Structure formats: C-alpha cells, structure tokens
Amino acid sequence: MASSVNVVIPTYERPDFLRGAIETAVNQTHAPSEVIVVDDGSSTRYAERIVNEYPDFVECIRHERNKGLSAARNTGIREATATYVAFLDDDDRWHETKLSKQATALDEDDSAAIATCLLVAIRPDNEIVHCETWMPEGDCADAMLTGNRIGTPSRVLVRRRAATDIGGFDESLPTKQDWDFYLRLCQDWNVTGVAEHLCFRRVHESMSSSVEAIERDKQSVLQKHEGRIRQRGLWTEANAEVSERIGRANL
C-alpha cells in the first residue's frame, strides 16, 4: 500500500468548479487521508457549503481576506499531516489512478521529492488543446534554473517534509511561484514520475498574461536566484529562455 496522501485544493470565487475538483480527489483509487479545501477569501462561503456535502476527511479552511494562490497552498501544506501532498487547482481534474501511481513512484525513489506525470490541456468544453509527450525526470537542478520544466502544481505529488523544509511557496512573488518552488526543491531532490496522462488542465482565455507581466514575473524569479544561476554558468541561457517566451507571447 502506497504512503498516505493529502490533497490541497485552493479556491477563490469559483463555485462552479469546486465540486468537480473534490470529486476527482475523493474518487482516487488511492484515497487521500484528507482533502483540504482552502477558500482564499471568497465573497461568499460557497466552499464551506460544498465541503459539508462530503465526509469528514474533506475539510475547509477559510482565509478572511484574499492572500493569493501561494498563501492558500501554504495553508494547506501547514495543515497537512500525510507523507505526500498533492495540489489541485479547482478547475483541473485527475485520472482516478494519479495519486496511487505517483505515490508508488515516490515510495520507490528515496532521492525524489516530486512525482510528475504527463498532462492534457483541455478547453472548458473538454476539447483537447494539447497532449504532452515528455516530462522531466532525475536530477533537474540545472534545468530548473533556466525555466519551469514541470508546469502546473496540479500535476505533481510532493514529499510534505521537503516542501516544509524549503518554506513552501514564496508568497512575495507576483506569479511563477510554482517555478520558484520546484527550482528550490530540485537543488536537493530529484524528480520522478509516471509517463501517463494523469492530469487534465483546463485552459481559459483569461489565463493569457500581458507581455509585460510575463517579462516582469519571469525576471523576478531570475533575480531571486541570480547568484546560483551565475554560479552554474547558466545566466545567458536563463535570460535567453525568458526572451524566447516573451517573443512567443508577442506573436
């Protein structure tokens, strides 16, 4: 039997999505010992009402004001007690075997703190936008210094102890906190994974960011880790990756 898992579901002003996220978590073949819904200061208490429809192992924690996605995930990490923590955005969904297969992968690799998987990007009408064919594995310390090779936290399972040791997500960053989170984890831990499409990420038109915001937020991560990146001789490559992403955004 794989090690215990807690699921953290942040939600903010999206009552139409939350129930589906809880369902995809509780219906896993490797049932989580706890599902922690973090309402990040929504204007109504919809999260509490929805959580009350489920057994006691599904709980709701409410922020009295909106603190941001990183703060919501950190609240979940602090509340978690299981060996592993999975993060699930309220509009994303999982294959029913995701937690079982990823927990087994981590159980079998003591050097890894992150288990990932392949991802399918879908529109709100469930039309497929993209199916991945590659995922990172092994020592990703240098690779993560130049860009986010892992992607959305909805696709990963993380050792809770490792996440706690690095202080969770950086709440001071405007966005790209997931890249920073993985980058710091990968300096001491490897990445393992399951080469199957186990995570289904919903893509919204509203997810597009301005070119200025993309440049600002990616540069903020580079500046935070500039010393380490330069020490590894990757500063030019890291900036080139950012420039390439900005170019694609302009197109």
Side-chain angles (χ1 to χ4, degrees), residues 36-222:
I36 305 164
V37 175
V38 182
D39 179 355
D40 190 28
S42 299
S43 58
T44 65
R45 293 182 174 268
Y46 71 87
E48 293 178 353
R49 292 196 297 271
I50 292 173
V51 164
N52 285 338
E53 301 172 11
Y54 293 90
D56 289 344
F57 71 89
V58 182
E59 68 165 308
C60 181
I61 301 173
R62 177 178 168 82
H63 291 170
E64 290 307 314
R65 60 179 179 82
N66 181 248
K67 298 180 179 181
L69 192 53
S70 288
R73 289 178 179 141
N74 285 341
T75 293
I77 292 171
R78 287 191 294 270
E79 183 70 16
T81 59
T83 304
Y84 304 134
V85 178
F87 305 102
L88 177 61
D89 289 351
D90 58 10
D91 58 340
D92 292 339
R93 304 293 182 260
W94 292 335
H95 188 276
E96 63 181 2
T97 63
K98 177 183 182 290
L99 295 185
S100 174
K101 291 176 177 178
Q102 289 186 318
T104 298
L106 282 175
D107 283 347
E108 294 176 350
D109 188 350
D110 292 338
S111 72
I114 305 171
T116 187
C117 65
L118 296 176
L119 179 143
V120 180
I122 59 173
R123 293 193 175 96
D125 61 1
N126 291 327
E127 180 181 351
I128 294 175
V129 178
H130 177 66
C131 290
E132 290 184 343
T133 58
W134 175 87
M135 63 182 188
E137 289 188 278
D139 181 353
C140 298
D142 283 356
M144 290 302 301
L145 290 174
T146 60
N148 186 353
R149 314 299 180 192
I150 296 175
T152 174
S154 291
R155 75 190 305 169
V156 303
L157 185 68
V158 178
R159 290 187 190 276
R160 180 176 60 85
R161 173 171 58 87
T164 300
D165 285 347
I166 65 166
F169 292 85
D170 185 343
E171 299 176 22
S172 71
L173 293 172
T175 63
K176 314 304 178 190
Q177 305 97 336
D178 51 349
W179 176 19
D180 169 75
F181 178 74
Y182 303 140
L183 188 161
R184 288 181 284 124
L185 272 178
C186 286
Q187 301 314 301
D188 298 310
W189 296 86
N190 285 346
V191 176
T192 187
V194 181
E196 298 179 32
H197 295 95
L198 303 177
C199 182
F200 304 91
R201 183 172 189 247
R202 202 176 303 268
V203 178
H204 306 275
E205 292 296 329
S206 61
M207 295 172 74
S208 299
S209 298
S210 70
V211 175
E212 293 77 12
I214 291 170
E215 182 172 14
R216 177 201 67 206
D217 297 344
K218 284 184 173 290
Q219 287 291 347
S220 67
V221 177
L222 292 185

